[in-house]
Amino acid sequence: MTERDGTAEQVRQEIEADLREVPEATWLARDIIATIKRHKAAEDARTAAVAGRLERARQVAGAEAADAEAAEHLTLAEVARIRAAYKVAEAATPRVILEEDAKGRPANHIAADLGLSASYVSRFLREHKAGKQPKK
């Protein structure tokens, strides 16, 4: 047994002795342990969320670098086709947003799939439902 194991065992024995002497301490000890466990779980969740955001940021940065490299090799004809496709996609965007909304998809999911901001899609839907001409 290491010195640390011996110290931990000694502390455990002292705590158990204290709990036998003061029964009310059992409830307090349980509350403290429960609070520590909740704090640890929240800390683990925050750590996982930060790690997830960091990984997504790395993926986006890698994709942007790949996009920039690919753009350097586009020909005139390829750029023309892409620009024409962009105009078609831009014209179809309002219809697609309305169709997806009618299917019950949340605005933030529609926005993410289309590469738009959630606030833009939400505003578009709000203005459309109010009978206004949505802004581009």
Side-chain angles (χ1 to χ4, degrees), residues 4 7 11-12 16 21 28-29 31 33 41 51-53 61 71-72 88 92 95 100 105 114 123:
R4 182 175 178 190
T7 304
V11 168
R12 187 187 63 74
E16 287 177 353
E21 290 176 22
L28 178 59
D31 286 347
I33 290 170
R53 285 194 300 272
E72 292 180 19
V88 171
R95 176 188 52 79
E100 292 301 308
R105 291 208 59 222
L114 293 176
R123 187 185 76 227

Side-chain angles (χ1 to χ4, degrees), residues 40-117:
K40 177 73 171 123
E43 184 178 308
D44 291 347
R46 279 191 300 275
T47 300
V50 168
R53 285 194 300 272
L54 179 59
E55 181 57 30
R56 284 190 295 280
R58 285 185 181 134
Q59 290 172 354
V60 168
E64 288 174 354
D67 290 346
E69 184 177 331
E72 292 180 19
H73 303 288
L74 291 175
T75 65
L76 174 67
E78 291 168 332
V79 170
R81 281 194 302 273
I82 291 168
R83 289 178 57 78
Y86 172 79
K87 289 178 182 179
V88 171
E90 186 176 28
T93 299
R95 176 188 52 79
V96 170
I97 292 172
L98 294 172
E99 287 174 357
E100 292 301 308
D101 179 61
K103 292 177 188 176
R105 291 208 59 222
N108 61 332
H109 292 187
I110 297 169
D113 289 345
L114 293 176
L116 301 169
S117 71

Side-chain angles (χ1 to χ4, degrees), residues 3-48:
E3 181 178 323
R4 182 175 178 190
D5 292 338
T7 304
E9 179 61 23
Q10 181 182 358
V11 168
R12 187 187 63 74
Q13 289 174 358
E14 290 172 5
I15 291 171
E16 287 177 353
D18 289 342
L19 292 176
R20 282 191 297 275
E21 290 176 22
V22 185
E24 297 83 18
T26 302
W27 292 104
L28 178 59
R30 286 182 184 153
D31 286 347
I32 291 170
I33 290 170
T35 300
I36 290 170
K37 286 181 178 179
R38 281 193 306 273
H39 176 73
K40 177 73 171 123
E43 184 178 308
D44 291 347
R46 279 191 300 275
T47 300

